[in-house]
Amino acid sequence: MIDTIGMTDIGNGRPSNQDAYLLRQQEKNGKLYLLAVVCDGMGGLKKGEIASRYIVEVLKQWFDETLFEGLYEMGINMIEQNLIDLIRKINQNLLLMSRKMKEVKSMGSTLTLLFVEDHEFFVLNVGDSRTYWFDRNRKFVTTDHTLVELELRAGHLTKEQARKDPRRHILLQCVGVTKDVRVDCYKGRLHPGMEFLLCTDGFYGLLEEEEIYQVEASREQMKEWVERCFRKVKKRGELDNLSCVIVKVPKER
């Protein structure tokens, strides 16, 4: 089995925790299947906590029921497409739910997701929660769906300016707010010793890049590392909820 840990903290400035996460793994016919999810209910939209928890619950049900009712036999590309279709269905359901709730014009959530099938993986991402992964000294991270990221890629901002720009929380994509949702997909091979970090913007926002790439090795060390990061970002003034999931592939599988 792969070492995993998930933790969340309400933080210093929110009346409720609108983050949610999920960790599931199971062996089937000699193959390991793993699903890790982090969601951040939209702080500026009412009932964001309902959106994030709804996404997590639907994905949990998908892993426990749908995946092993024959879908897993169809290969990882079919699983990927099935999950993308499910995210689009969740998006439509959240739109319908918000219309039926009083005083709620819309509710939404970011979503970052890791799926592992034996020696292959893919990451799906909507919004500005992130998945980082580290493979043999190579570092990768999802692209934020934000106005500031768009400006950064266009060359209108430097990285340092982007980190401090007051528009950095303006999302161009999330689940549950607009009719259409774009899901970014990243694929790769799973190698011994690889690490994945899924986290909300409250977690990574006030951490330096080199701090993020210092995930500790053992499960107990991972827990201590997360707790240190929580203390660090709260001390630096972060007011948002904090959540992260760590997935560490053993060096020998």
Side-chain angles (χ1 to χ4, degrees):
M1 302 292 275
I2 293 175
D3 287 333
T4 63
I5 189 169
M7 296 177 67
T8 188
D9 190 296
I10 193 171
N12 289 334
R14 296 284 188 263
S16 64
N17 193 340
Q18 298 190 93
D19 291 354
Y21 71 86
L22 172 68
L23 273 169
R24 309 292 282 174
Q25 63 175 314
Q26 184 174 325
E27 287 188 8
K28 184 81 170 178
N29 296 342
K31 286 186 175 182
L32 179 68
Y33 296 85
L34 178 143
L35 177 66
V37 178
V38 167
C39 293
D40 181 359
M42 305 315 299
L45 301 172
K46 292 182 180 180
K47 305 298 183 183
E49 65 272 19
I50 293 178
S52 60
R53 283 156 181 73
Y54 173 73
I55 293 171
V56 161
E57 186 56 39
V58 172
L59 291 171
K60 177 179 178 292
Q61 186 177 15
W62 173 89
F63 186 89
D64 292 345
E65 299 175 12
T66 303
L67 178 61
F68 297 110
E69 284 297 315
L71 179 61
Y72 75 98
E73 297 174 336
M74 302 177 75
I76 195 165
N77 290 334
M78 187 62 71
I79 293 170
E80 174 199 320
Q81 188 56 55
N82 189 264
L83 270 173
I84 291 173
D85 291 342
L86 180 58
I87 291 166
R88 289 176 176 148
K89 184 177 179 181
I90 289 170
N91 184 69
Q92 294 302 316
N93 288 347
L94 285 172
L95 285 170
L96 291 172
M97 288 164 62
S98 64
R99 288 172 191 163
K100 294 177 181 179
M101 298 175 73
K102 291 181 180 180
E103 299 180 357
V104 179
K105 292 183 179 179
S106 61
M107 57 182 177
S109 175
T110 67
L111 164 68
T112 196
L113 174 158
L114 165 69
F115 183 85
V116 171
E117 181 195 63
D118 205 34
H119 294 290
E120 294 183 274
F121 76 89
F122 61 79
V123 171
L124 302 180
N125 196 70
V126 183
D128 67 347
S129 289
R130 292 178 180 174
T131 295
Y132 296 83
W133 60 105
F134 332 126
D135 180 15
R136 301 175 184 179
N137 297 318
R138 294 182 299 171
K139 302 168 184 177
F140 305 89
V141 63
T142 50
T143 299
D144 298 341
H145 295 153
T146 61
L147 178 60
V148 163
E149 179 65 27
L150 199 65
E151 294 281 81
L152 179 63
R153 289 181 171 268
H156 300 152
L157 295 172
T158 65
K159 271 193 174 184
E160 190 57 34
Q161 287 172 329
R163 288 192 64 182
K164 298 176 181 178
D165 194 293
R167 303 169 298 166
R168 64 188 180 278
H169 299 302
I170 298 176
L171 289 177
L172 302 179
Q173 288 281 321
C174 66
V175 182
V177 175
T178 57
K179 183 178 178 181
D180 298 313
V181 61
R182 190 187 91 226
V183 183
D184 285 350
C185 182
Y186 310 79
K187 303 179 184 182
R189 293 282 297 174
L190 210 64
H191 300 295
M194 282 184 75
E195 296 176 57
F196 296 84
L197 170 65
L198 291 73
C199 55
T200 57
D201 64 329
F203 181 83
Y204 71 75
L206 293 180
L207 289 175
E208 299 295 332
E209 192 173 274
E210 57 268 23
E211 293 176 303
I212 291 171
Y213 293 125
Q214 290 176 353
V215 180
E216 302 293 346
S218 72
R219 195 174 191 281
E220 189 57 38
Q221 286 174 321
M222 288 192 295
K223 182 176 183 294
E224 292 171 0
W225 180 83
V226 173
E227 289 172 343
R228 284 200 306 273
C229 287
F230 281 178
R231 290 193 298 269
K232 199 180 294 182
V233 297
K234 286 194 286 187
K235 188 176 180 180
R236 292 174 184 176
E238 180 59 68
L239 299 177
D240 204 353
N241 309 137
L242 321 169
S243 296
C244 75
V245 163
I246 300 173
V247 175
K248 185 169 179 61
V249 182
K251 291 189 177 179
E252 295 298 331
R253 283 190 65 199

